[in-house]
Amino acid sequence: EGVDMVLNVGKAREPSYFLLGNLTSEGWWYYHLAAFAAKTPLPALLAYAFALGAWLNGKSRGVREYALVLPVVVIFASNTLFNSLQIGVRHVLPAHPLLMVLAAPWIARALERLRLPHARRMLPTAAAIGLLWYVAGTLSVAPRYLQYFNEVAGGPEGGHRVLVDSNIDWGQDLIRLRE
């Protein structure tokens, strides 16, 4: 019964899902990808894309990277195919640590080149700027991390135009506001 309930949630006649200003009762196959893209800091998305691109082009550091990439594919594919509950990014959050572990060696390698006297500086400088951007974006919403949306999604002030429901703050912090 529990599995049936999860697989059939949201299959009502009235529109119950929201994405990019549109309401629907069926949902979108790409909802979890869009939610992930809107709620993930842009420097992280760029690092993930770079690492995945390197992996796809055969520049991986070994067979062990399959242990990172394949679970990410399974997370997104299973949510696309079997998860009809399209109300939050939380269903694909397990992809973040896997993607960060995949991207970390590339970032570290680029930052190490900053110390070399004759190294080309473009990639290391980009990595350093990306890390600073990531930290600044995180601190800009602290301690209300739930309201974070990246700049393309409109930031914390405009994210409600992209996603709603459990992707935004529902006033969980009202007690602290009162204090």
Side-chain angles (χ1 to χ4, degrees):
E1 281 182 38
V3 170
D4 284 341
M5 183 185 76
V6 169
L7 292 175
N8 292 305
V9 165
K11 293 189 177 174
R13 298 198 193 287
E14 67 278 350
S16 58
Y17 298 132
F18 178 88
L19 179 64
L20 297 167
N22 297 307
L23 280 169
T24 183
S25 58
E26 286 101 38
W28 299 268
W29 69 266
Y30 54 87
Y31 174 85
H32 291 97
L33 283 169
F36 185 83
K39 297 287 282 180
T40 300
L42 291 178
L45 285 175
L46 292 171
Y48 299 165
F50 181 88
L52 286 170
W55 181 78
L56 286 170
N57 285 322
K59 295 188 171 116
S60 69
R61 295 178 12 154
V63 180
R64 291 177 285 180
E65 287 188 357
Y66 281 95
L68 299 169
V69 175
L70 292 180
V72 169
V73 170
V74 168
I75 289 167
F76 283 104
S78 63
N79 276 289
T80 297
L81 297 172
F82 305 115
N83 186 354
S84 64
L85 187 60
Q86 297 183 356
I87 60 170
V89 71
R90 67 184 176 270
H91 300 276
V92 292
L93 287 179
H96 274 292
L98 298 167
L99 289 166
M100 194 56 76
V101 169
L102 185 69
W106 294 100
I107 296 168
R109 192 174 312 140
L111 292 174
E112 284 174 6
R113 293 178 71 193
L114 279 174
R115 295 186 294 167
L116 299 176
H118 301 295
R120 285 187 246 152
R121 301 268 186 237
M122 193 167 99
L123 190 59
T125 302
I129 289 171
L131 284 175
L132 291 173
W133 183 6
Y134 190 93
V135 169
T138 301
L139 293 175
S140 72
V141 294
R144 292 175 272 303
Y145 302 106
L146 185 58
Q147 71 186 31
Y148 179 84
F149 283 86
N150 65 36
E151 296 84 351
V152 172
E157 299 81 25
H160 66 279
R161 292 183 197 97
V162 178
L163 298 168
V164 294
D165 210 279
S166 62
N167 291 296
I168 59 173
D169 192 329
W170 292 350
Q172 295 94 324
D173 213 13
L174 290 176
I175 293 171
R176 189 160 55 131
L177 176 65
R178 183 185 69 212
E179 292 170 358

